[in-house]
Amino acid sequence: GSISQRGPRMEAKSRVLLVDDESAITANLAPFLQRAGFDVAVAADGEEALQQVAAFAPDLIILDIHLPDIDGYEVCLRLRGQTRTENTPVIFLTERRERADRLTGLELGAVDYITKPFDVQELRFRVRNALRRTSRETLMHPITGLPTSSLIEEEIGRVAQDPKLTVI
């Protein structure tokens, strides 16, 4: 994948899959998200979205509900049914404003529900915040609640800098 310079070490860019059959939205939103520092893939329907998920392994999915083949709810349901994607954050981006639609999206495990028309800066911040929450959740082991190796390595690095301590 591509990498970007962020602070003192190199980190991979977060991968975002944008799923919408309206080419005007993907043509504008994909470059905007790329300029914001994300790797972006685009899909125009549900089946293509599922193929892109397998090939691209996105860190987050922005998903329209109205798609020409299977709807966004079904795509989300299928993602939740696979171990590899059951925790991938999904943000629904849709023209559906009804309470029942929002509740259905949230019940399926979406981390956010944004209605069209939308503010691109707000969407960018919501994507960033969802990715931050996801990365924080992976710092603790889901069963034991103990820190994962990345937290342990960070603490060892901090302690190793203290001249009063010795690390064995």
Side-chain angles (χ1 to χ4, degrees):
S2 61
I3 51 177
S4 63
Q5 182 70 33
R6 252 191 255 158
R9 54 183 257 239
M10 300 291 275
E11 290 184 24
K13 289 183 181 182
S14 293
R15 292 177 310 280
V16 175
L17 174 60
L18 176 58
V19 184
D20 201 310
D21 61 328
E22 293 181 51
S23 58
I25 288 181
T26 57
N28 290 309
L29 192 52
F32 173 80
L33 290 170
Q34 288 169 333
R35 285 191 304 274
F38 301 105
D39 274 345
V40 180
V42 174
D45 61 47
E47 290 297 339
E48 184 183 359
L50 295 170
Q51 292 168 7
Q52 285 280 23
V53 166
F56 185 62
D59 299 305
L60 180 137
I61 301 166
I62 299 172
L63 181 59
D64 188 12
I65 293 171
H66 285 297
L67 297 171
D69 53 358
I70 55 175
D71 69 19
Y73 293 143
E74 178 63 25
V75 172
C76 190
L77 193 61
R78 290 185 192 182
L79 294 171
R80 295 298 172 247
Q82 299 173 21
T83 304
R84 195 168 143 259
T85 57
E86 66 185 353
N87 295 315
T88 302
V90 172
I91 295 176
F92 278 115
L93 180 64
T94 181
E95 61 281 345
R96 290 190 182 184
R97 299 176 175 277
E98 296 299 316
R99 177 178 182 266
D101 294 317
R102 288 193 312 274
L103 291 177
T104 299
L106 295 171
E107 182 181 10
L108 288 171
V111 297
D112 216 333
Y113 191 100
I114 302 170
T115 54
K116 298 174 185 175
F118 59 94
D119 180 293
V120 292
Q121 293 292 346
E122 180 182 348
L123 176 65
R124 180 174 66 91
F125 290 137
R126 288 176 183 258
V127 166
R128 182 200 65 191
N129 293 348
L131 288 166
R132 281 185 181 167
R133 281 192 304 271
T134 303
S135 68
R136 272 199 305 269
E137 289 168 7
T138 60
L139 295 176
M140 303 304 274
H141 190 279
I143 296 172
T144 66
L146 296 172
T148 60
S149 60
S150 56
L151 277 180
I152 293 168
E153 289 169 15
E154 183 180 299
E155 183 64 12
I156 290 172
R158 189 187 63 73
V159 170
Q161 302 300 316
D162 190 332
K164 297 181 224 138
L165 299 174
T166 302
V167 179
I168 300 175

